[in-house]
Amino acid sequence: MNEIQKALKKFSQKNLKFLKEALEETKIIREKIKETGEFNQLKIIQAFQECKVTDECFWGSTGYGLDDFGRERLDNLAAKIFKAESALVRFNFVSGTHALNCAFLGILKPNEELLSISGKPYDTLLPLIDNLNTLGIKYKELELNSKGEFDYLKIKEKIDSKTKLIFIQRSCGYSFRRSIKLLEIKKVISFIKKIKNDLIILVDNCYGELVEEKEPIEAGADLCAGSLIKNLGGGIAPGGGYLAGSKDLIHKASFILTAPGLGGKLGATLGINRLLFQGLFYAPLIVTQALQGAVLASYIFENMGLKCIPRWNEHRTDIIQAVKLGSAEKLKTFCKAVQNAGVINSQVIPEAVIQPGYKDPVIMAGGTFIQGSSIEFSADGAMRPPYIAYLQGGILPQIKLGILMILEELEKIK
Ligand SMILES: *Cc1c(COP(=O)(O)O)cnc(C)c1O
């Protein structure tokens, strides 16, 4: 028995064998993920060097935060990584939802229209859209087709003189669909720009950062947004969100984040800059670990007969692994095991509750350092049929442990 086997010996031989088989079968795919991760890691290292990040960037500021060069350099660094003209990386964004709200309110005026072409947006964005409606901003949405692809014909039909902003959600959110590959996003953007060249394309990039070798701006998007307690924070950023895109749009969004006239030039960083820089530095490594674990989980749960999106051997464009469990009890059990595999509050039993921004009760598991962080090992799901667990984040040894714990807990139900 080797040391790893000794550390895991409380688990059944059957499940340990299952995990070993999964590790062998997924080896080639996990190797490919590692290569992409290394490419992204080098991209980030070189961006740090080109932006001349210095230790003075970590000093931080108080009060107005005028001339906070750490904050400015972090924005430049993110712009470089995203191949964008400009970026805002701020803990003053409460979350990804807040960053998206600043983009919506900065761009859209009454009588203009927002069109989602990836179906119903993520739960926490729905109140944002209700608010846009009260401001006289119109909203339309188009479902993806039955194959989970953009519906080109309908997109062409729906775009008219009022359409101003096109919204694309890359990751599945709480719906049981494929996430949308960057290549598909690129194709649809070039199609849309041919219909109407001045349409603004906003990609909700949550969970997608650093998964592929390119990012949405390189696919032709004008703006993208995300959360720092997901991929880009590397598990180290204590909170925040980001926007990257064209100078003009970032400028407009910054007026909503702070105030017209102030924009991104103000905002004290209070000494947390280092955590944002360091999280960004580690992000490719952490994303690689999370992806490798997701592949492993997908292999295992699929071979147990559960429907998984994406399948273990499919191309990935985000870190989410959806597993269809089919009953409230199984979803609760799954989440309990994930919580128990955490490192903080590992003894807690998660319960489904109504949370701000969500319509149905949601159950969230994550024994995480940062509250609600989903780049750390975590699972969540809405308490509604067909009871899907969304598993994400973590480092490989912990994900392996988590999978074994989930297997043993699920066996008790049958
Ligand atoms: C998480 C998420 C959001 C919202 O981000 P928060 O940081 O939780 O506010 C938006 N869209 C998608 C697809 C997400 O996964």
Side-chain angles (χ1 to χ4, degrees):
M1 212 193 280
N2 69 24
E3 294 306 313
I4 296 174
Q5 283 166 335
K6 267 187 225 159
L8 295 174
K9 73 174 189 293
K10 69 169 182 173
F11 296 103
S12 73
Q13 277 306 310
K14 186 182 109 223
N15 288 340
L16 287 173
K17 238 179 95 191
F18 196 6
L19 180 64
K20 194 162 166 248
E21 173 197 309
L23 281 163
E24 277 159 17
E25 290 295 323
T26 58
K27 208 167 186 162
I28 293 170
I29 289 184
R30 287 187 296 109
E31 195 54 40
K32 183 81 196 59
I33 289 170
K34 222 169 106 186
E35 273 173 33
T36 307
E38 214 167 304
F39 171 85
N40 282 322
Q41 191 70 64
L42 287 169
K43 176 160 78 180
I44 288 194
I45 290 171
Q46 284 166 358
F48 267 74
Q49 293 164 350
E50 285 165 25
C51 288
K52 301 196 168 47
V53 178
T54 61
D55 61 340
E56 289 106 318
C57 291
F58 308 151
W59 290 351
S61 57
T62 56
Y64 292 126
L66 285 164
D67 302 320
D68 185 321
F69 48 81
R71 184 192 64 219
E72 285 165 12
R73 218 155 282 186
L74 183 63
D75 287 348
N76 292 341
L77 181 64
K80 192 170 277 287
I81 290 162
F82 281 104
K83 311 277 192 292
E85 283 174 9
S86 191
L88 286 170
V89 185
R90 299 297 154 98
F91 80 91
N92 313 71
F93 283 128
V94 168
S95 65
T97 306
H98 184 194
L100 283 162
N101 194 48
C102 292
F104 288 148
L105 293 176
I107 296 168
L108 292 158
K109 290 194 282 293
N111 280 319
E112 292 178 337
E113 184 190 278
L114 165 66
L115 172 63
S116 164
I117 59 166
S118 48
K120 194 169 148 188
Y122 187 72
D123 294 51
T124 62
L125 305 185
L126 303 179
L128 272 50
I129 291 168
D130 288 345
N131 179 54
L132 293 178
N133 282 329
T134 67
L135 297 172
I137 296 160
K138 307 216 162 34
Y139 172 73
K140 279 192 221 154
E141 80 189 20
L142 280 173
E143 287 303 320
L144 295 166
N145 71 18
S146 57
K147 286 193 204 143
E149 294 161 351
F150 292 117
D151 196 330
Y152 280 78
L153 234 67
K154 291 217 179 102
I155 290 172
K156 190 160 188 190
E157 267 171 36
K158 275 274 195 290
I159 291 174
D160 59 30
S161 62
K162 285 192 172 159
T163 319
K164 172 80 173 276
L165 180 65
I166 305 278
F167 176 78
I168 300 172
Q169 183 177 302
R170 179 174 175 183
S171 184
C172 56
Y174 283 147
S175 53
F176 201 47
R177 68 150 164 95
R178 300 161 51 247
S179 295
I180 307 167
K181 279 187 283 206
L182 222 52
L183 208 60
E184 295 171 68
I185 292 178
K186 184 175 176 187
K187 212 174 120 208
V188 83
I189 292 176
S190 98
F191 176 78
I192 291 166
K193 295 269 178 176
K194 273 183 210 137
I195 301 171
K196 201 175 162 200
N197 188 35
D198 61 350
L199 280 175
I200 298 165
I201 319 272
L202 166 60
V203 174
D204 175 351
N205 204 26
C206 280
Y207 291 127
E209 300 89 357
L210 306 168
V211 173
E212 299 200 56
E213 292 186 352
K214 291 196 162 131
E215 297 295 334
I217 305 301
E218 294 165 271
D222 298 289
L223 197 59
C224 66
S227 161
L228 296 187
I229 62 170
K230 295 179 181 173
N231 304 16
L232 216 58
I236 293 179
Y242 76 89
L243 287 170
S246 77
K247 208 167 175 168
D248 169 56
L249 297 175
I250 293 292
H251 189 66
K252 285 177 173 157
S254 75
F255 276 17
I256 307 293
L257 169 63
T258 59
L262 306 184
K265 301 274 181 231
L266 266 73
T269 54
L270 313 175
I272 70 152
N273 277 345
R274 180 183 57 81
L275 298 175
L276 304 191
F277 278 106
Q278 203 168 358
L280 186 54
F281 169 66
Y282 280 119
L285 183 66
I286 299 297
V287 166
T288 299
Q289 291 273 302
L291 283 168
Q292 293 197 350
V295 169
L296 209 57
S298 186
Y299 180 92
I300 289 196
F301 296 123
E302 190 176 313
N303 280 288
M304 279 173 66
L306 297 169
K307 189 161 165 39
C308 289
I309 297 182
R311 298 191 57 186
W312 66 275
N313 52 4
E314 260 173 327
H315 174 94
R316 282 172 194 258
T317 191
D318 66 10
I319 63 166
I320 306 294
Q321 182 58 53
V323 184
K324 187 165 151 186
L325 291 162
S327 83
E329 192 190 5
K330 282 186 184 164
L331 178 56
K332 266 192 190 166
T333 305
F334 189 102
C335 288
K336 178 177 174 286
V338 170
Q339 181 77 31
N340 297 158
V343 280
I344 313 296
N345 300 328
S346 63
Q347 76 289 359
V348 165
I349 298 174
E351 290 285 341
V353 290
I354 292 277
Q355 293 216 15
Y358 295 88
K359 216 170 111 261
D360 293 295
V362 285
I363 184 160
M364 294 191 167
T368 57
F369 288 89
I370 308 289
Q371 185 192 81
S373 168
S374 44
I375 186 64
E376 298 177 62
F377 188 54
S378 54
D380 44 59
M383 270 297 163
R384 60 188 177 218
Y387 301 99
I388 294 152
Y390 297 87
L391 183 70
Q392 67 269 319
I395 55 174
L396 198 52
Q398 187 185 17
I399 301 167
K400 286 184 200 168
L401 181 68
I403 290 171
L404 289 169
M405 291 170 73
I406 294 166
L407 288 176
E408 310 248 316
E409 287 291 326
L410 284 178
E411 275 165 9
K412 289 182 197 157
I413 296 184
K414 280 187 282 194

